[in-house]
Amino acid sequence: MTYGIIRILISVCFLVTIFFFIKRFLKSPKKRKIAIILLFFVGIAFCAITFLFPIENFVWTFSSPEAVFKYAGTGEIADVIDGKHSCMIIYSNGRNSYSTMIAHKDANGYKLSSALDYRVTSSINEKGVSAITYRLSQTTDNYVTVLWFSNESNSTIKDNKSSTFFSISSDISNGESPNTIFSYAFVENLNDEYALSLNNSEFFKLN
């Protein structure tokens, strides 16, 4: 939440400052009008840039993933899994819906990341299974998230990299339909084919 508020304040201060100079130094009403229109678009671009590039990383280091989320996220943390150079924060905004946030880590603590810091390397969306793998830029850290459904009392998920999976199960139908399961893992050596096995029977190959 603080992350967004700070960016809005920075953008407002930027726009007010530029507007002041326009009023102060441009005497022609026509030039002022053109400058204000340009200022509007420049302000939108400036605000977008501040969201894409976390300038806080130049001056701040966070002590924990929880501190990163408190600053940049909204909702409640459900879990945190560690990679070698990062961690993935799993959080919920309610209604049994889960999202993820990736934070960099170094010897001194944790840093903010942006959408430009990681990319989707493979995905599937078939037979009620939605899976995505992510790779953090300039590292070998990979993560996978899987949203799937199961009627099994002891549902299992595995991959061909022997990763350790964690799962959050939500029974929102009181047993009348399959449980919704959100699974996630840190994946090492994700440089070739990647496949998932659900309940030791269904196999899914990610492209």
Side-chain angles (χ1 to χ4, degrees):
M1 180 64 71
T2 307
Y3 184 84
I5 292 174
I6 285 181
R7 272 144 186 78
I8 292 173
L9 291 175
I10 291 174
S11 298
V12 169
C13 290
F14 172 79
L15 292 174
V16 169
T17 301
I18 299 300
F19 184 76
F20 170 79
F21 279 100
I22 290 174
K23 295 282 286 185
R24 177 70 174 80
F25 295 104
L26 292 181
K27 302 301 182 180
S28 169
K30 183 177 180 180
K31 289 183 177 180
R32 282 184 179 180
K33 183 177 181 180
I34 293 173
I36 290 172
I37 292 173
L38 291 175
L39 175 63
F40 173 77
F41 291 104
V42 170
I44 292 176
F46 180 80
C47 186
I49 289 171
T50 62
F51 273 93
L52 288 175
F53 299 98
I55 57 178
E56 293 90 340
N57 285 343
F58 292 106
V59 293
W60 293 342
T61 298
F62 295 88
S63 61
S64 66
E66 289 76 13
V68 172
F69 184 77
K70 183 178 180 180
Y71 179 81
T74 56
E76 295 184 3
I77 295 179
D79 200 1
V80 177
I81 54 174
D82 283 311
K84 292 181 178 180
H85 306 284
S86 63
C87 70
M88 176 179 274
I89 302 167
I90 295 85
Y91 65 96
S92 172
N93 284 317
R95 297 184 180 181
N96 297 303
S97 176
Y98 295 91
S99 300
T100 61
M101 175 187 295
I102 295 176
H104 295 271
K105 67 179 180 180
D106 57 26
N108 298 316
Y110 295 83
K111 297 284 189 179
L112 299 170
S113 67
S114 74
L116 299 179
D117 290 332
Y118 55 91
R119 62 186 178 90
V120 173
T121 54
S122 62
S123 64
I124 60 167
N125 191 356
E126 60 181 64
K127 297 181 180 180
V129 176
S130 178
I132 303 174
T133 59
Y134 305 88
R135 173 169 293 172
L136 188 67
S137 300
Q138 299 180 344
T139 75
T140 57
D141 282 11
N142 300 274
Y143 298 92
V144 59
T145 61
V146 188
L147 181 65
W148 56 297
F149 304 91
S150 176
N151 285 313
E152 301 288 335
S153 57
N154 294 309
S155 301
T156 60
I157 180 171
K158 300 177 183 177
D159 65 8
N160 60 338
K161 303 296 181 182
S162 300
S163 305
T164 300
F165 275 87
F166 303 89
S167 296
I168 301 173
S169 179
S170 303
D171 183 3
I172 60 176
S173 61
N174 297 319
E176 295 180 1
S177 62
N179 287 344
T180 302
I181 303 175
F182 184 74
S183 301
Y184 46 92
F186 170 71
V187 185
E188 293 190 89
N189 304 317
L190 189 55
N191 296 316
D192 49 16
E193 289 188 354
Y194 186 67
L196 295 169
S197 169
L198 306 181
N199 291 330
N200 298 312
S201 59
E202 292 188 279
F203 294 88
F204 296 88
K205 181 180 177 181
L206 277 73
N207 301 311

